[in-house]
Amino acid sequence: MIETAPDRLTRMLAMVAYLRDNPAVPVAEVAEHFAITEDQVIADVNTLWVSGTPGYMHGDLIDFAGDDLDHGVLTLLDSREMDRPLRLSPGEAVALLVALQSLQGAALAPEDSALVEETIAVLRTAAGEAAQAADAVELVDRRREVDDRAARIREGLLAGRRLHLRYVSASDQTTERDVDPLQLLTDGERWFLVGWCHRAEGVRHFRVDRILEVQVLDAAADAHPDVRLTGRTEPDTARAEQVRLELASRARWFAEQLPDAHITELDDGWLELTVGVVDLAWLHNIVLALGPDVRAVEPASIAARLSATAQSALDAYAALERH
């Protein structure tokens, strides 16, 4: 499995703190401590060696003792304060306070609720006058709306009746559709409706917080004995249409966000991403947004549809320019 960029960044920052507290450590010992190979330790050090603070001249970069490294030992000479605790700006402190205060109304376990309250108290003290700005932010609780929709979905499930949804998809398209409800699931943070969508003629997963309206219809929901319910809150993308993309390395952030995606490093630094796609409209939006960071799409039928969508967009822009 390819290591994600956030995981590597976290390890490298931890390595700086570790080397500050443990001078002249053999590379093998560092590799054992972080459960990585010695080659990966050297790769991390080489990346840190060209990292630092704005200016990025020689005196602005993290520095190691080169002679020690030649003998298989790591000695940190200058951390550029990367080993110091983070100091929040007033704006960052307010944003964090607002986020924590929004958690207070959530259904947290007692120990989690106590931790949130303690963190808020500490942060308010550290933020000083800036904490007053957080008190001026009005938090709108959308959980009640979500709970109401979940209750109507549950009503349809128990009564065996079809639902009518007005829904905003991940591709930011608003549609109306009739759905036979099959399951109502939660991952602990969000509710999901699994249902047979008559518009798509297949099973779809709907995030309840993206449902704008839900109506319980008089029509009875059809039985779908062939549908295999997995209990997962996300679509089974392994059973969806498999699409292969070639992405530039700077689009790695996108690839790492996809569940069940398979990422392969290509020899020229690009990435090969294979992912199951349920909603082709979502794929169209993503590929158009990534633009030159996508150089190949397979199968050819999907590539042709993407090309036609892109050409339609270009034609629309050209028509605007003529007018």
Side-chain angles (χ1 to χ4, degrees), residues 32-308:
E32 181 180 358
H33 178 81
F34 288 97
I36 56 177
T37 65
E38 293 184 30
D39 287 343
Q40 185 61 60
V41 171
I42 299 301
D44 287 352
V45 168
N46 287 334
T47 299
L48 288 168
W49 225 324
V50 294
S51 305
T53 50
Y56 304 106
M57 303 300 290
H58 177 72
D60 303 314
L61 303 177
I62 296 173
D63 197 17
F64 298 88
D67 291 342
D68 286 1
L69 185 57
D70 290 340
H71 294 86
V73 174
L74 290 179
T75 300
L76 180 66
L77 298 179
D78 189 350
S79 69
R80 299 306 300 164
E81 300 187 347
M82 296 295 176
D83 55 345
R84 296 182 61 181
L86 175 66
R87 286 176 171 78
L88 298 175
S89 69
E92 291 169 336
V94 169
L96 185 54
L97 269 173
V98 171
L100 288 170
Q101 287 169 182
S102 71
L103 283 177
Q104 283 186 303
L108 298 175
E111 60 274 16
D112 293 333
S113 181
L115 178 60
V116 169
E117 291 180 7
E118 180 182 348
T119 304
I120 288 174
V122 172
L123 189 56
R124 290 186 70 88
T125 300
E129 293 183 1
Q132 298 176 8
D135 298 332
V137 178
E138 181 181 0
L139 298 175
V140 178
D141 187 0
R142 296 193 67 247
R143 287 188 299 273
R144 180 172 298 177
E145 295 179 8
V146 172
D147 290 344
D148 288 345
R149 291 167 194 158
R152 286 197 291 275
I153 292 170
R154 194 176 290 111
E155 176 188 341
L157 271 168
L158 293 175
R161 290 159 63 186
R162 189 169 297 170
L163 304 175
H164 180 78
L165 308 181
R166 192 160 71 90
Y167 185 73
V168 178
S169 69
S171 57
D172 201 29
Q173 291 187 328
T174 301
T175 57
E176 299 204 17
R177 53 185 79 207
D178 289 348
V179 175
D180 295 330
L182 301 174
Q183 279 185 322
L184 183 63
L185 305 172
T186 181
D187 62 1
E189 296 182 5
R190 295 182 294 256
W191 286 98
F192 296 82
L193 164 65
V194 182
W196 178 272
C197 176
H198 288 267
R199 182 174 183 271
E201 297 185 348
V203 176
R204 293 293 184 267
H205 288 60
F206 303 96
R207 269 179 46 176
V208 175
D209 59 342
R210 288 183 179 154
I211 296 176
L212 302 178
E213 293 180 16
V214 55
Q215 300 175 23
V216 180
L217 302 178
D218 293 334
D222 293 338
H224 300 278
D226 297 334
V227 173
R228 180 174 63 90
L229 298 176
T230 64
R232 294 178 44 169
T233 58
E234 296 294 338
D236 185 2
T237 53
R239 297 168 61 88
E241 184 164 10
Q242 298 298 301
V243 176
R244 175 186 170 276
L245 307 172
E246 289 187 11
L247 305 177
S249 60
R250 62 185 178 185
R252 179 186 294 274
W253 63 269
F254 163 70
E256 291 174 351
Q257 291 179 350
L258 300 177
D260 300 326
H262 180 71
I263 307 171
T264 303
E265 303 279 358
L266 300 178
D267 293 339
D268 58 359
W270 285 61
L271 309 173
E272 179 183 86
L273 169 68
T274 302
V275 62
V277 176
V278 176
D279 184 356
L280 287 180
W282 168 84
L283 180 66
H284 286 195
N285 286 2
I286 288 296
V287 171
L288 292 179
L290 290 175
D293 288 343
V294 182
R295 72 178 183 188
V297 179
E298 292 180 354
S301 58
I302 290 182
R305 292 173 64 176
L306 287 170
S307 178

